[in-house]
Amino acid sequence: MKTTLHPIDFLIIFVFVIFMIIIGYLLKRRMKGSVDFLLAGRKIPGWITGIAFISANISALELLGMSASGAEYGFLTFHFYYLGAIPGMIFLGIFMMPFYYSTRIRSVPEYLRYRFNRPAHLLNSVITLISLALGSGIYLYSLSLIFDIMFGWNPHLSILVSAMIVLLYTYFGGLSSSIYTEVMQFFLTVFGLFPLVYIGVVKSGGWESLMSQIPESHKHMWKYLPNGNNPLGWDILSVTVGLGFVLSFSYWTCGFAEVQRAMAAKDLQAARRTPLIGAVFKLFLPFLTVIPGLIAISQFKQELNGDYNKSFLILLREYYPSGMLGLGTTALLAAFMAGMSSSVTALNTIFTYDIFQTYIKKNESDAYYLKIGKRSTMVAVVFAIFASYIAMQFSNIMNYIQLLFSFFSSPLISIFLLGMFWKRASSWSAFWGMVTGTSAGIMHYILTTFGFLYYKSDMVSNFYGAIFSGLACFLSMVIVSFIEKPDHHRDLQGLMYSARDREHDFWNPIILAWGAGLIALLGCFNWFFR
């Protein structure tokens, strides 16, 4: 299904790339210290960090993967948004950002150093670095795969060129560059791809006509979940607990690539609004990612021939003429860059502050740590290139991502909830909880691989793996906390709900109104697509 870009299309892509680099270069003069480079000086308005928060999660992989899932499974795919994302984002804004922001910690792992101990902090820092490196490699590989399928471009060259573009503007402008470019990339992605959905619905004869052309099983989120009676084999427990609680809350409330955007906000209220603003956009994002798959299955079923990964690409080719095709391709490139730059900026921050400054060289000048931050940015991109070749070994990248989450992310929600709301959680409980939880996730995967456990699909296996991982971590922490002698002299001020910062209004009515409004909208969407 190779297609051809015309000069006008290449011009649009070229202008976009140059503009990204210029933004990074112009912000270079503001990078006077490591806080400016790695934390954006904590001066950015909430609406900007809110858009960057959601943009950091959009990638070419999501556009390709969710449209493919939409074509194959329909509205079941909405669960990745309405259960697997938005509840966790609301919880982050209402409950967890006050602990992150008011304590002035510089990263999510750093919270564990103050609340628990240094071994827990070091282990979490290393695990986070590994998961970020693997994640950025997935972004690189997914984009190269798209360009190979659509235009026949050499995938190895696509990986190198794309990595170098992200490196240039991130190296110059750090997190500020990443955030401001992510805002532009978000709107470019929306405006570049919204016409695709609109044209597709019109050519399908309108919304009602489109719904009449897709299978009945594609029209519902909840109807076919009981007993796993659906093409994905999903059941109520795996979706609500595995995806909707463990994976959602672990990723969105403890994942530093996203939380870092909220930490860059200018004040606590802006930081709390950041994920809530992101959640508003997340509510409507499935219409940009999943609906194209439904259009493809109704209009180009024969051409798809069971290869649902082509859904988005077929629509681009069939519906976009020259110029518009360049805009659509640029939208894919923008989505990829937002995802990868978020991983790179999170990675360089954790390495510089949580590894290098804390355990290697403690008392150097701020200019020295700025230099380390820039060098680690370069190393992060190199690691991403190598990680992209690891991602190539997996036939289903979406399953690969969820598998990584079930290993690395799932224990975190138990650690942070117990740490913030249970004073008895002891110093060593987080360390052993992480070890036990991660080990449980890996053991679950091994048992499934060798046939000792059976699930209807790999994704269901990942959901249950997350449940086992999170539960093992929780139980391990409780046991260790009762075994270890309590330390009544530890300073937990600002790190727990009972010892929260009283200078700020934890139960802020405006923030609560945001949360209540989002929950109401979320309920309406779930009811409509039930």
Side-chain angles (χ1 to χ4, degrees):
M1 59 167 294
K2 301 291 188 297
T3 189
T4 302
L5 290 176
H6 294 84
I8 183 64
D9 301 314
F10 280 110
L11 178 62
I12 293 172
I13 296 172
F14 178 76
V15 170
F16 164 73
V17 170
I18 294 299
F19 191 70
M20 292 294 99
I21 296 173
I22 289 174
I23 290 177
Y25 185 77
L26 292 176
L27 289 171
K28 179 182 178 181
R29 68 188 67 179
R30 298 186 184 181
M31 302 301 111
K32 298 177 181 179
S34 64
V35 173
D36 295 319
F37 184 77
L38 298 171
L39 299 177
R42 288 184 161 173
K43 302 173 183 175
I44 300 180
W47 71 271
I48 292 180
T49 54
I51 296 174
F53 184 95
I54 194 63
S55 181
N57 183 251
I58 302 175
S59 70
L61 171 63
E62 177 170 3
L63 297 175
L64 190 69
M66 290 303 176
S67 64
S69 296
E72 191 169 3
Y73 307 117
F75 290 139
L76 277 173
T77 312
F78 276 34
H79 283 299
F80 282 110
Y81 297 89
Y82 294 161
L83 275 182
I86 295 174
M89 297 164 76
I90 296 172
F91 189 79
L92 172 64
I94 293 177
F95 289 99
M96 298 187 75
M97 279 315 301
F99 301 111
Y100 288 148
Y101 195 92
S102 61
T103 53
R104 308 302 288 179
I105 59 173
R106 298 168 298 182
S107 70
V108 171
E110 194 170 50
Y111 174 85
L112 300 186
R113 179 157 68 96
Y114 294 115
R115 174 59 181 89
F116 296 102
N117 60 14
R118 291 166 72 90
H121 167 252
L122 179 59
L123 178 60
N124 184 239
S125 298
V126 172
I127 288 176
T128 304
L129 286 178
I130 293 172
S131 61
L132 287 171
L134 293 174
S136 57
I138 294 171
Y139 292 137
L140 271 177
Y141 169 59
S142 63
L143 188 76
S144 71
L145 182 65
I146 290 172
F147 285 164
D148 178 33
I149 293 173
M150 284 188 66
F151 310 117
W153 294 357
N154 184 291
H156 307 289
L157 183 61
S158 296
I159 287 173
L160 289 174
V161 172
S162 302
M164 289 305 105
I165 294 170
V166 173
L167 173 61
L168 281 173
Y169 72 76
T170 306
Y171 181 85
F172 286 134
L175 181 60
S176 294
S177 173
S178 180
I179 288 176
Y180 281 109
T181 54
E182 282 164 5
V183 173
M184 196 196 84
Q185 288 159 354
F186 174 79
F187 286 111
L188 181 60
T189 301
V190 171
F191 291 125
L193 299 179
F194 176 76
L196 192 70
V197 178
Y198 178 78
I199 294 171
V201 171
V202 170
K203 287 187 175 290
S204 300
W207 179 258
E208 294 297 331
S209 178
L210 174 62
M211 291 298 100
S212 68
Q213 298 174 50
I214 63 175
E216 177 64 23
S217 61
H218 282 47
K219 300 177 183 179
H220 302 278
M221 288 178 59
W222 293 97
K223 184 176 180 179
Y224 299 106
L225 277 185
N227 301 316
N229 187 25
N230 57 79
L232 277 170
W234 290 6
D235 58 74
I236 294 290
L237 181 64
S238 67
V239 171
T240 56
V241 179
L243 175 63
F245 177 66
V246 180
L247 286 171
S248 170
F249 280 61
S250 294
Y251 179 82
W252 289 100
T253 66
C254 311
F256 184 52
E258 284 72 29
V259 174
Q260 186 183 32
R261 272 79 195 139
M263 287 182 174
K266 65 179 182 178
D267 55 44
L268 175 58
Q269 295 311 313
R272 298 183 74 178
R273 285 195 301 270
T274 293
L276 301 178
I277 292 171
V280 174
F281 290 106
K282 197 73 171 178
L283 273 170
F284 298 96
L285 200 57
F287 297 97
L288 191 69
T289 58
V290 178
I291 300 304
L294 298 176
I295 296 169
I297 196 65
S298 67
Q299 300 298 305
F300 304 101
K301 186 174 183 178
Q302 186 173 358
E303 189 167 353
L304 283 174
N305 194 28
D307 188 358
Y308 301 105
N309 288 325
K310 295 180 180 178
S311 299
F312 214 102
L313 309 182
I314 287 177
L315 297 190
L316 279 177
R317 186 194 65 188
E318 295 296 327
Y319 292 157
Y320 275 3
S322 297
M324 286 295 291
L325 183 59
L327 182 62
T329 305
T330 304
L332 289 174
L333 186 61
F336 147 75
M337 286 184 174
M340 182 177 172
S341 66
S342 69
S343 293
V344 170
T345 53
L347 199 153
N348 64 18
T349 301
I350 289 177
F351 177 79
T352 302
Y353 286 146
D354 293 280
I355 302 293
F356 195 86
Q357 185 182 39
T358 305
Y359 299 103
I360 300 176
K361 286 196 175 183
K362 300 181 181 179
N363 300 312
E364 299 293 336
S365 67
D366 190 63
Y368 181 78
Y369 294 121
L370 172 60
K371 186 186 301 182
I372 295 300
K374 289 197 169 190
R375 288 178 179 175
S376 62
T377 301
M378 299 172 65
V379 174
V381 172
V382 173
F383 269 111
I385 293 172
F386 281 106
S388 67
Y389 289 93
I390 297 176
M392 286 183 185
Q393 309 307 312
F394 290 81
S395 58
N396 190 318
I397 304 177
M398 293 300 293
N399 284 338
Y400 174 49
I401 291 175
Q402 295 299 328
L403 178 64
L404 293 178
F405 289 163
S406 71
F407 291 166
F408 299 131
S409 298
S410 298
L412 295 181
I413 188 59
S414 296
I415 293 171
F416 280 83
L417 285 181
L418 288 176
M420 291 176 175
F421 297 100
W422 190 42
K423 189 174 182 179
R424 183 65 187 266
S426 65
S427 299
W428 279 95
S429 63
F431 177 85
W432 289 112
M434 242 181 299
V435 171
T436 306
T438 302
S439 300
I442 294 173
M443 181 58 65
H444 177 271
Y445 174 68
I446 293 173
L447 292 175
T448 304
T449 301
F450 287 95
F452 293 101
L453 293 174
Y454 172 76
Y455 300 98
K456 293 183 179 180
S457 69
D458 290 338
M459 193 64 74
V460 175
S461 173
N462 293 333
F463 292 165
Y464 274 103
I467 294 174
F468 280 106
S469 179
L471 182 60
C473 176
F474 180 88
L475 294 176
S476 176
M477 287 187 68
V478 171
I479 293 171
V480 170
S481 296
F482 280 114
I483 293 175
E484 188 177 358
K485 185 178 179 180
D487 183 359
H488 299 292
H489 302 291
R490 294 180 62 210
D491 181 14
L492 300 178
Q493 185 62 37
L495 300 172
M496 295 189 59
Y497 177 75
S498 60
R500 63 190 181 277
D501 183 1
R502 303 285 179 172
E503 293 183 5
H504 298 95
D505 186 6
F506 190 93
W507 299 106
N508 184 286
I510 296 177
I511 298 298
L512 292 177
W514 270 90
L518 282 166
I519 291 172
L521 284 172
L522 189 61
C524 291
F525 277 88
N526 274 274
W527 174 260
F528 183 79
F529 294 110
R530 66 188 185 281

